[in-house]
């Protein structure tokens, strides 16, 4: 029923990650703990989802140091931004064409 | 038979909850639910990443309302003071409150930016430095040129120049962040500043106090209502 929706983004937890990262300005990134707190996810759970998003080339993870403490920054790539735009566009057309009751679970 | 009973009785519960958890986490949302999730999560994130402009508008508005208000009361529209406030006190009030407002702006921007780094951080930092350097240059000009002016015109020079700096930086801010209301506010400030300086010290102080100060407080209150809604 939803063949054109990107499966990488379509999982609920990953969608929330992508939406949050998309709210950052272009060229901005957020620390891993900052993102974790914003989403209210556990570190392990977030890591798994970020791994999948990174695999798809949607997310860029940069590990650096602030002083002596290691910091991990997360950002949406151009490709990720585009994929999210296409995802929302596909969602809207889906809503327009099927005004019938939702076909969810 | 024994084997089957054993496995089902043992495994039934854990499998069920694990499945339930997986279903809840990866549950297929309807398009409507998904769109609602995108909107809610998006605006929640936006609120976190974009600093709240309300303290900024209120602090600057109060500074101009009180600072220029004091200058207006000591100038009067026709040159006779309504209230005898010493020139130094009125000026110190205006510039002291403006320095406080600048601190409020800097603090609100800093605080919320902390987990985020990148282009917006640099943009904000350069913009912040632009305020400092512009006011420094303005101060140098006003000190030098002001030495040759009568007291009433001296106040006008300081007031007119400082509001010119503010107007330019608001317009620049509007251009940087593509914020039309910010640009419009800066443009209105520039026009009010020009009209006020042409009309004279009393008029300038009145226009700045009511127009710039009152306008900024009003903008802050309107934005607060919008955020709450």
């Amino acid at each position: 029923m939803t063949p054109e929706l990107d499966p990488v983004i379509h999982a609920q937890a990953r969608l929330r990650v992508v939406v949050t990262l998309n709210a950052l300005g272009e060229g901005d990134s957020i620390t891993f703990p900052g993102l974790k707190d914003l989403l209210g996810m556990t570190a392990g759970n977030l890591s798994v989802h970020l791994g999948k998003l990174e695999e798809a080339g949607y997310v860029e993870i940069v590990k650096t140091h602030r002083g002596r403490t290691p910091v991990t920054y997360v950002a949406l790539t151009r490709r990720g931004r585009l994929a999210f735009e296409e995802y929302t566009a596909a969602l809207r057309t889906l809503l327009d064409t099927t005004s019938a009751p939702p076909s969810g679970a | 038979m024994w084997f089957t009973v054993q496995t089902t009785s043992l495994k039934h519960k854990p499998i069920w909850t694990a499945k339930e958890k997986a279903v809840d986490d990866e549950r297929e949302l309807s398009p409507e639910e998904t769109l609602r999730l995108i909107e809610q999560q998006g605006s929640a994130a936006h609120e976190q990443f974009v600093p709240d402009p309300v303290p900024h508008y209120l602090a600057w508005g109060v500074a101009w309302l009180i600072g220029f208000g004091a200058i207006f009361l000591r100038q009067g529209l026709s040159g006779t003071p309504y209230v005898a406030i010493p020139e130094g006190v009125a000026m110190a009030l205006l510039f002291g409150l403006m320095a406080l407002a600048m601190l409020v702006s800097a603090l609100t921007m800093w605080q919320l930016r902390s987990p985020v780094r990148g282009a917006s951080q640099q943009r904000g930092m350069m913009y912040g430095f632009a305020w400092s350097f512009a006011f420094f240059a303005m101060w140098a000009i006003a000190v030098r040129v002001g030495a040759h002016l009568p007291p009433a015109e001296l106040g006008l020079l300081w007031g007119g120049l400082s509001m010119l700096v503010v107007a330019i930086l608001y317009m620049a801010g509007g251009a940087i962040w593509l914020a039309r209301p910010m640009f419009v506010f800066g443009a209105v400030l520039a026009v009010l500043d020009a009209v006020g300086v042409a009309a004279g010290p009393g008029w300038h102080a009145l226009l700045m106090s009511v127009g710039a100060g009152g306008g900024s407080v009003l903008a802050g209150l309107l934005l607060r209502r919008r955020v709450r809604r």
Side-chain angles (χ1 to χ4, degrees), chain B:
Chain B
M1 188 61 189
W2 173 85
F3 182 71
T4 342
V5 170
Q6 177 84 329
T7 42
T8 44
S9 64
L10 265 179
K11 281 191 177 169
H12 182 77
K13 189 84 186 186
I15 285 175
W16 177 249
T17 43
K19 209 175 183 180
E20 204 175 40
K21 192 168 184 292
V23 163
D24 192 48
D25 208 23
E26 308 270 300
R27 185 168 71 88
E28 187 91 355
L29 295 175
S30 72
E32 286 92 348
E33 284 177 311
T34 310
L35 214 57
R36 211 175 308 134
L37 177 85
I38 289 173
E39 274 159 14
Q40 281 170 357
Q41 187 72 35
S43 60
H46 187 78
E47 236 167 70
Q48 290 293 317
F49 297 147
V50 177
D52 180 11
V54 173
H56 166 92
Y57 276 103
L58 288 182
W60 284 93
V62 167
W64 294 326
L65 200 66
I66 294 176
F68 280 113
I71 292 173
F72 168 70
L73 290 178
R74 79 166 296 282
Q75 289 287 354
L77 281 184
S78 53
T80 24
Y82 301 125
V83 180
I85 304 169
E87 166 100 46
V89 172
M91 275 298 167
L93 202 61
L94 174 63
F95 281 93
L97 285 172
M98 273 169 63
L100 261 176
M102 219 185 279
L103 198 69
V104 169
S105 301
L107 283 178
T108 49
M109 284 184 132
W110 241 312
Q111 195 183 20
L112 281 147
R113 279 287 140 82
S114 52
V116 178
R117 70 158 189 185
S120 72
Q121 198 184 28
Q122 288 179 36
R123 206 173 278 145
M125 198 161 64
M126 287 187 213
Y127 186 68
F129 275 121
W131 280 80
S132 312
F133 282 111
F135 269 110
F136 170 73
M138 179 219 90
W139 170 79
I141 294 169
V143 165
R144 168 82 188 186
V145 177
H148 307 286
L149 291 177
E153 301 287 310
L154 177 65
L156 191 59
L157 179 72
W158 279 91
L161 275 181
S162 65
M163 292 314 281
L164 175 65
V165 168
V166 171
I168 291 171
L169 284 166
Y170 265 77
M171 288 189 281
I176 292 164
W177 287 286
L178 285 182
R180 195 180 285 260
M182 194 180 186
F183 178 86
V184 170
F185 190 71
V188 170
L189 278 187
V191 172
L192 284 181
D193 195 34
V195 170
V197 169
W203 281 104
H204 181 262
L206 180 64
L207 281 177
M208 289 303 115
S209 177
V210 176
S216 189
V217 169
L218 196 71
L221 293 178
L222 284 175
L223 282 169
R224 194 167 75 160
R225 194 168 296 168
R226 196 185 299 171
V227 168
R228 275 194 184 162
R229 180 151 43 92

Side-chain angles (χ1 to χ4, degrees), chain A residues 72-89:
Chain A
T72 304
Y73 284 99
V74 185
L76 212 57
T77 59
R78 279 188 67 102
R79 198 167 152 197
R81 252 172 227 278
L82 223 91
F84 178 64
E85 262 172 47
E86 279 164 9
Y87 177 82
T88 38

Side-chain angles (χ1 to χ4, degrees), chain A residues 20-36:
Chain A
T20 303
L21 291 176
N22 188 61
L24 283 172
E26 216 160 340
D28 278 355
S29 52
I30 185 169
T31 60
F32 182 86
L35 182 62
K36 184 185 71 107

